[in-house]
Amino acid sequence: MPDGQQVADGQTPVIDMTELWQESMIRQLYRSLLGRPAGPGDLVHKKSLIREHGVDSAIEKIARVLTSSTEFKMRLSKELMDSVVANARVREIIDVTRLLVDLGTAAEQVPYFEMLAVEHPNWKARFAFVEAERRALHVGQRRWVPASRTGDRLTLEGAAALGSDATEAFVLKNNRYQLDTEALAADRLADEATASAWTHRRLHDGVAYRAPTDLEIVPTKLRRIMLVGACLLESWNLMFDHLEPSCVCERVLFNNVQTLPALPTRPLAEYDFQMVVLPFRAILPEQGYFRLNFDDDAAYERLFADACSRIALFLPQALRWNLEHGLLTFVGNFFVPQQNPMGRLLPRYSLKNPVHFVERLNEFLAGQIANLTNCYLLDLDQISATIGRKAVQDDAFWVTSHGSTLSDWDHRFDKARLEPVDSLVSLFTSRVEDFVFAVWRELKAMFRTVRQADQVKLVVMDLDDTMWRGVLAEADSISTVAIEGWPLGIAEALMYLRRRGVLIAIVSKNEEATIRGLWDRIFGGRIRLDDFAFVSINWRPKADNIREIIRQANVLASSVVFVDDNPVERAAVQAGVPGIRAIGQNQHYIRRILLWSPETQLAAISRESAHRTELIQKQQVREAARETMTRADFLLGLDLTVECFEVAGVRDPSFERAFELLNKTNQFNTTGQRWTRDELARAMAEGLHLLAFSVRDVHVEYGLVGLLLHDEATIRQFVMSCRVFGLDVEAAVLSSLVASLREHDPARPIDAALVHTKSNMPCRAVYANAGFVEHAERWTLPPDQAPAAIPAHVQLTRRTALAPA
């Protein structure tokens, strides 16, 4: 029984109508306006609007949001639009929302019902009052009419003609119309199934197309951001506020060589990032190119050089908070025009073509950004191309150098024309709102990548109907159809992931010898079995194989993605390997999810990341050797060398790898703390030291695998890659640091932080093993306590002398 339902007269259920009435009204709005059911999330959000703002205000807000969406505009047929424009009376009274029925009033006593007419650029928003006639409630071409001869039931007449599949009905009981809860329950189940399918498609075919969220575990909640730019960003802060009301979005107007304040309005630590867009009109003023002659090649070269000089002049001004304080920054580039204004048959790749001219400017801008720290290019031009330049950019109507989005802001100045013309967005499809929403998704995706949120370290692939079509082991012959199209696209995606440093693996129920014999015939050398870090082809349960791979890779289940076409296998693996992510329901989504999800991407690719598969494979050779020896003989035979060195600052060549390691390490991480780039830069400027160390042995050159963060005599954090677990590397490095700190101040105790997290069991004994004593949730090495000796099998070197804190 739903919340609020009570029993009246001993048997008949009577509804506390508030909740169901609100839900029914929202469902009808979605059906009438968008032609589809509202999803569960829509219902929760919209009902909270009603509770917070009251019915009338909330209905208006919901209608405004829905009718301003591209989804609504696309649904309206051309015939309906023509009739609205042609018929002033229709324009006044057209209704596309459900009649708001006061279900608590006796039927014969209801004098009027209120409804909301939709607001649209070409329509007038108004409230209409519709009179009840007997027990039939008329609303234009629709009306609630008796569904039975006795008039004890009302249904919506004419709903199908208006594109509505409404099934709500009202039953007359005790002289009151009450919602038919049985019909509502059946309708709700059908709606939820349809809404689930609709939501899944919307995530892949809407504004989230470029930034899939399928691999997101913990959603990112932004706190405060800053927009710095000119007219392009006008009202973007309001739209961003609408998308994420909990995030405060500020805007600073930036034109020409304007000087920004030394600091923004709030402390820098409160800002997650800033978005900066240089004013294109100041970069390429019309006076500089309007009167150029087509045959004056030198003039176009000078124009381009001048524009680049302006970028180099303006950019540092706009990036003041990044350059001086390290604030994470995303810099938008310029829209590339849709066509060559000189003519489509003239040279494409010439500075005389504004299309190529802007492409070259974007390349120059990207080069300037590449030299900066904690600053990345936001490819607004590519997002516009994805949404559709025709529906986003204004260069077909405005001067090229305006470089902005479609707008009707000037329509009010043209109303005195001899032949008045409707506004621009009524003549051409506008998707500016979708574009801005897509930019928001891109910003959040970039932020998640920088923060390495929910990072994917391993992708495990099924084979049949996942890497190729069908069951090839049972096929009489193999044709190119088996891999042409989406399978080859997925194979290519795996090779891109491998280059990023994401491990790839195979887990398949097949005969391994059969698959190995077929592999090269299937892929023709494009992707080889030895490109996979792990291959488990057998008839064991897939969850067992995956658990073994996770153990060998030394990663957490939450950092693994399993791809399989079989829903039963996906469910079994998720039950057997808690925390793992699983995809594969639709083969057309797999490539985009794997390549475009922020969780599979990195802000920079270190040498260690690029060669991670080879390192893992060599580790497997090392582990095989371990099984034939005693531990002491194994370690002595490794010829293990550890090199310690200081990371001097954010421009140090080792900083990117150190920063990556600091934020991706879970198991050997003594505090679990995550750092932003600007937080770490500020801490280093204030005296925090980053002691890094790299490791190599006879089998593997591991690269930079660990960090000790310390200031004065306090070790704030110790992180180390799982690739060198069990080699006593941590003992050697800790002993070396203690000795260095003792040389500087032998009478001072050395303090270390150790915070238990759900994942860091492997490092909890590191200080105890080194002679530290636990005291008040800290670990301390007293001045009279000698540091533990460096293990005999470790050869420790220092690239430079350790600088004392």
Side-chain angles (χ1 to χ4, degrees):
M1 186 177 294
D3 291 343
Q5 184 167 314
Q6 302 173 351
V7 176
D9 299 329
Q11 295 181 358
T12 307
V14 177
I15 311 300
D16 175 0
M17 301 309 300
T18 304
E19 189 79 9
L20 289 177
W21 173 75
Q22 292 172 354
E23 184 172 312
S24 175
M25 179 273 297
I26 295 166
R27 288 177 183 275
Q28 190 64 44
L29 279 173
Y30 269 79
R31 287 194 186 96
S32 298
L33 293 170
L34 302 184
R36 64 171 177 84
D42 296 319
L43 292 172
V44 172
H45 175 63
K46 300 301 188 298
K47 283 192 289 186
S48 67
L49 275 178
I50 295 174
R51 287 192 292 270
E52 292 171 8
H53 300 286
V55 175
D56 291 345
S57 177
I59 297 304
E60 185 173 1
K61 287 177 182 292
I62 295 169
R64 285 175 185 269
V65 169
L66 296 184
T67 56
S68 65
S69 67
T70 301
E71 187 179 342
F72 169 75
K73 295 173 185 176
M74 292 178 66
R75 182 174 179 266
L76 293 175
S77 67
K78 185 177 184 299
E79 292 76 13
L80 176 59
M81 290 294 292
D82 289 344
S83 68
V84 171
V85 172
N87 190 321
R89 179 60 182 160
V90 173
R91 184 183 304 181
E92 289 288 331
I93 66 171
I94 185 167
D95 67 287
V96 288
T97 63
R98 175 187 176 277
L99 183 67
L100 303 181
V101 182
D102 181 358
L103 297 171
T105 305
E108 68 273 12
Q109 295 176 355
V110 176
Y112 293 101
F113 293 89
E114 185 178 291
M115 73 157 203
L116 177 68
V118 72
E119 181 175 305
H120 184 275
N122 290 324
W123 302 347
K124 293 182 179 180
R126 63 186 298 271
F127 287 94
F129 293 91
V130 182
E131 186 173 2
E133 179 180 311
R134 299 187 184 137
R135 292 178 180 176
L137 312 177
H138 296 267
V139 189
Q141 298 301 311
R142 296 186 302 169
R143 58 179 180 168
W144 291 89
V145 297
S148 65
R149 292 182 179 179
T150 59
D152 59 357
R153 184 180 177 88
L154 294 181
T155 56
L156 186 63
E157 180 186 76
L162 290 172
S164 171
D165 58 351
T167 60
E168 283 130 333
F170 297 88
V171 180
L172 185 63
K173 291 183 179 180
N174 300 325
N175 203 33
R176 294 173 183 268
Y177 280 111
Q178 299 176 6
L179 197 62
D180 187 334
T181 53
E182 292 182 4
L184 178 62
D187 188 35
R188 178 183 292 168
L189 290 175
D191 275 2
E192 287 176 357
T194 307
S196 176
W198 179 270
T199 299
H200 193 60
R201 177 174 178 179
R202 184 172 56 185
L203 288 175
H204 290 276
D205 193 31
V207 296
Y209 175 78
R210 290 178 52 89
T213 57
D214 301 70
L215 303 184
E216 185 177 275
I217 300 174
V218 181
T220 296
K221 297 296 184 183
L222 298 175
R223 303 165 301 161
R224 184 182 296 271
I225 67 171
M226 176 69 76
L227 304 181
V228 179
C231 58
L232 174 65
L233 301 182
E234 186 175 357
S235 300
W236 282 33
N237 55 322
L238 301 179
M239 286 189 274
F240 286 173
D241 283 342
H242 170 73
L243 288 172
E244 193 156 329
S246 62
C247 176
V248 178
C249 185
E250 301 177 16
R251 179 171 178 254
V252 171
L253 180 65
F254 180 87
N255 269 319
N256 302 310
V257 286
Q258 179 179 342
T259 300
L260 294 180
L263 290 168
T265 57
R266 303 289 299 176
L268 276 168
E270 294 186 12
Y271 293 89
D272 291 308
F273 60 81
Q274 66 173 342
M275 172 186 170
V276 172
V277 180
L278 297 182
F280 190 51
R281 208 166 191 173
I283 301 296
L284 187 67
E286 298 94 85
Q287 295 86 345
Y289 73 90
F290 259 44
R291 300 185 58 79
L292 290 183
N293 292 323
F294 184 75
D295 58 355
D296 191 348
D297 293 353
Y300 286 94
E301 293 287 350
R302 288 194 301 272
L303 179 67
F304 179 72
D306 288 344
C308 290
S309 297
R310 291 188 182 93
I311 291 175
L313 175 64
F314 295 172
L315 190 61
Q317 304 296 325
L319 297 183
R320 180 176 186 179
W321 299 326
N322 168 267
L323 298 177
E324 295 181 5
H325 305 286
L327 178 61
L328 175 61
T329 301
F330 303 119
V331 180
N333 59 3
F334 309 119
F335 290 146
V336 172
Q338 300 171 62
Q339 276 201 37
N340 181 0
M342 289 301 300
R344 56 175 53 88
L345 299 182
L346 293 180
R348 168 65 174 82
Y349 296 101
S350 164
L351 287 178
K352 299 174 185 179
N353 176 8
V355 175
H356 184 60
F357 192 99
V358 178
E359 289 173 338
R360 289 278 303 276
L361 284 183
N362 280 339
E363 184 179 358
F364 178 81
L365 176 64
Q368 296 289 296
I369 294 168
N371 297 323
L372 303 176
T373 301
N374 212 25
C375 187
Y376 303 93
L377 181 74
L378 170 63
D379 202 336
L380 296 177
D381 176 67
Q382 194 174 65
I383 299 172
S384 173
T386 298
I387 300 298
R389 297 187 189 280
K390 172 181 175 290
V392 174
Q393 298 176 199
D394 68 359
D395 61 284
F397 314 99
W398 275 56
V399 62
T400 301
S401 62
H402 191 243
S404 191
T405 54
L406 290 172
S407 171
D408 270 335
W409 77 270
D410 58 341
H411 180 58
R412 62 185 184 276
F413 303 120
D414 298 326
K415 293 185 176 180
R417 293 176 59 86
L418 293 177
E419 295 181 307
V421 177
D422 285 328
S423 61
L424 185 62
V425 296
S426 68
L427 300 173
F428 296 89
T429 300
S430 171
R431 298 190 63 191
V432 173
E433 184 180 88
D434 287 351
F435 167 73
V436 176
F437 290 2
V439 171
W440 176 253
R441 298 299 294 261
E442 192 84 1
L443 286 167
K444 292 192 72 171
M446 295 172 73
F447 181 72
R448 286 179 63 80
T449 297
V450 169
R451 290 293 184 92
Q452 298 180 324
D454 301 330
Q455 188 179 27
V456 173
K457 300 179 183 179
L458 170 65
V459 172
V460 180
M461 299 295 299
D462 172 47
L463 294 180
D464 295 325
D465 256 340
T466 301
M467 285 289 291
W468 51 65
R469 289 186 175 90
V471 182
L472 294 191
E474 300 175 358
D476 296 330
S477 61
I478 297 174
S479 70
T480 57
V481 174
I483 64 167
E484 194 59 49
W486 61 263
L488 206 54
I490 291 174
E492 181 187 51
L494 294 176
M495 296 304 287
Y496 277 116
L497 292 180
R498 190 178 184 275
R499 292 173 208 166
R500 294 178 188 173
V502 176
L503 299 175
I504 55 176
I506 291 173
V507 170
S508 172
K509 289 182 177 179
N510 263 299
E511 292 293 339
E512 182 172 359
T514 302
I515 295 299
R516 288 189 179 275
L518 291 173
W519 190 272
D520 286 340
R521 289 172 56 195
I522 296 171
F523 286 106
R526 297 177 180 92
I527 182 171
R528 302 193 300 266
L529 276 173
D530 60 12
D531 289 322
F532 293 87
F534 305 95
V535 176
S536 293
I537 303 175
N538 52 51
W539 297 100
R540 297 172 58 203
K542 292 185 178 181
D544 293 350
N545 285 326
I546 292 174
R547 280 196 298 268
E548 177 61 21
I549 289 174
I550 288 174
R551 185 191 66 78
Q552 293 181 47
N554 240 323
V555 297
L556 299 175
S558 59
S559 63
V560 181
V561 172
F562 174 54
V563 186
D564 196 306
D565 69 295
N566 190 331
V568 176
E569 293 286 8
R570 292 197 303 269
V573 167
Q574 288 187 297
V577 188
I580 194 171
R581 286 166 276 186
I583 61 173
Q585 175 183 2
N586 189 316
Q587 73 273 22
H588 300 298
Y589 294 162
I590 295 173
R591 174 183 165 92
R592 277 180 44 258
I593 292 172
L594 293 179
L595 286 184
W596 294 5
S597 296
E599 296 79 14
T600 66
Q601 300 188 14
L602 297 169
I605 298 176
S606 64
R607 180 179 180 276
E608 289 82 0
S609 295
H611 295 281
R612 185 159 288 134
T613 296
E614 290 89 340
L615 291 175
I616 288 290
Q617 291 169 337
K618 289 177 180 178
Q619 280 181 237
Q620 293 178 64
V621 173
R622 184 196 73 188
E623 292 305 305
R626 183 200 294 264
E627 295 178 1
T628 65
M629 304 178 182
T630 66
R631 184 175 190 272
D633 289 341
F634 168 75
L635 292 175
L636 284 173
L638 282 180
D639 192 20
L640 192 67
T641 300
V642 178
E643 182 183 44
C644 298
F645 54 94
E646 191 91 10
V647 178
V650 294
R651 298 190 181 278
D652 188 299
S654 299
F655 179 83
E656 287 298 333
R657 167 58 180 166
F659 181 70
E660 173 193 37
L661 189 66
L662 190 60
N663 278 332
K664 69 179 288 187
T665 305
N666 295 301
Q667 296 180 77
F668 198 105
N669 187 329
T670 55
T671 66
Q673 181 179 353
R674 299 303 195 219
W675 296 76
T676 65
R677 198 176 301 264
D678 49 324
E679 286 171 347
L680 189 58
R682 284 198 298 270
M684 294 174 72
E686 294 168 359
L688 180 69
H689 290 264
L690 269 63
L691 173 63
F693 54 94
S694 60
V695 177
R696 67 175 185 274
D697 63 27
V698 293
H699 299 291
V700 185
E701 184 172 343
Y702 301 92
L704 197 165
V705 293
L707 288 171
L708 272 158
L709 281 62
H710 67 96
D711 49 18
E712 297 183 350
T714 299
I715 300 172
R716 292 177 56 178
Q717 193 171 4
F718 190 177
V719 301
M720 187 177 74
S721 169
C722 59
R723 297 201 299 271
V724 292
F725 279 10
L727 304 182
D728 296 339
V729 170
E730 67 277 15
V733 176
L734 185 56
S735 178
S736 176
L737 176 62
V738 167
S740 176
L741 296 174
R742 283 281 170 81
E743 290 174 8
H744 176 61
D745 190 351
R748 185 168 184 175
I750 298 173
D751 190 47
L754 180 60
V755 178
H756 289 198
T757 71
K758 65 179 181 180
S759 306
N760 71 353
M761 181 67 75
C763 70
R764 292 180 187 175
V766 64
Y767 296 125
N769 292 340
F772 285 63
V773 178
E774 187 175 12
H775 178 68
E777 299 184 350
R778 305 284 293 183
W779 289 83
T780 302
L781 188 69
D784 57 351
Q785 174 70 47
I790 295 175
H793 64 276
V794 177
Q795 180 182 352
L796 192 140
T797 64
R798 299 180 182 181
R799 186 178 300 174
T800 59
L802 292 179

